[in-house]
Amino acid sequence: PPQGWNQPGGQYGYGGWQAPPRPSSRTPVVVGIVIAIVVSVLIIGVVGMLGSSLGTFMEGSSLNDIAVGQCFNGGRAADSGETTIVNSVALVDCDEPHESELIASFAYAGPDSGGTYPSEADLTAYSESECSARFGQYVGVTFNESRFEMTYVFPLSTGWLIGDREMQCVVHPPLGQLTMTGSVRGARR
């Protein structure tokens, strides 16, 4: 303690010695900013992982939640050859003009179905094989004989981590046509 500690009249104890002032700290501000960034990254990650499941909280329906045979708008992949993420679709009656119809929905049962995320090439090959077979059963002719277009949807790696194994096969109007009217079930074209 400084000189005079034991003398009467001081603010603390008997002496005139006072505790040194606490240095001002920016630690709470920095910690607050770091927490805000971490929470933002987690929210973005959850949205990315749940993707189509979060579509039910937005406008539209989740592709995982619609039934085979339902028609909808949205979710059509661009012709860029890149993977398209489908968050939500708008259900419409198949008798109305629409962009897509769900013809099959099934769980991935290929190699690593319960383990690590398969490669995109493996998922693509599996989807093409399964969707082509299911296309023929649903439409009544093989995909190669049909005039309709088809895409497939498989889980992203982030969804795989939380157990998403759902795959969907989606039929679209013929090339150059934006919408179609009526179901393709048993259309044989």
Side-chain angles (χ1 to χ4, degrees), residues 91-174:
L91 292 175
V92 296
D93 190 285
C94 289
D95 291 333
E96 299 295 322
H98 57 276
E99 299 171 352
S100 307
E101 181 175 344
L102 182 66
I103 65 159
S105 183
F106 53 94
Y108 176 76
D112 292 329
S113 60
T116 60
Y117 187 67
S119 70
E120 192 166 317
D122 287 344
L123 287 170
T124 298
Y126 185 83
S127 298
E128 285 177 1
S129 172
E130 288 295 316
C131 286
S132 291
R134 293 163 194 259
F135 183 97
Q137 295 167 358
Y138 191 90
V139 177
V141 295
T142 67
F143 176 66
N144 291 334
E145 297 172 313
S146 178
R147 59 188 209 129
F148 295 111
E149 296 294 314
M150 179 177 61
T151 57
Y152 42 85
V153 179
F154 52 79
L156 298 173
S157 60
T158 50
W160 190 272
L161 292 173
I162 58 171
D164 182 9
R165 303 293 189 271
E166 284 301 305
M167 307 184 89
Q168 292 88 16
C169 309
V170 180
V171 170
H172 305 290

Side-chain angles (χ1 to χ4, degrees), residues 17-34:
W17 180 78
Q18 297 181 9
R22 293 184 179 248
S24 66
S25 174
R26 295 180 192 249
T27 302
V29 173
V30 172
V31 169
I33 291 171
V34 169

Side-chain angles (χ1 to χ4, degrees), residues 10 15 17 35 40 45 52 58 71 76 86 89 94 96 127 146 150 155 167 170 172-173 175 183-184:
W17 180 78
I35 289 173
S40 298
S52 62
M58 300 181 251
C71 298
R76 189 168 186 174
V86 178
V89 297
C94 289
E96 299 295 322
S127 298
S146 178
M150 179 177 61
M167 307 184 89
V170 180
H172 305 290
L175 193 61
S183 174
V184 300

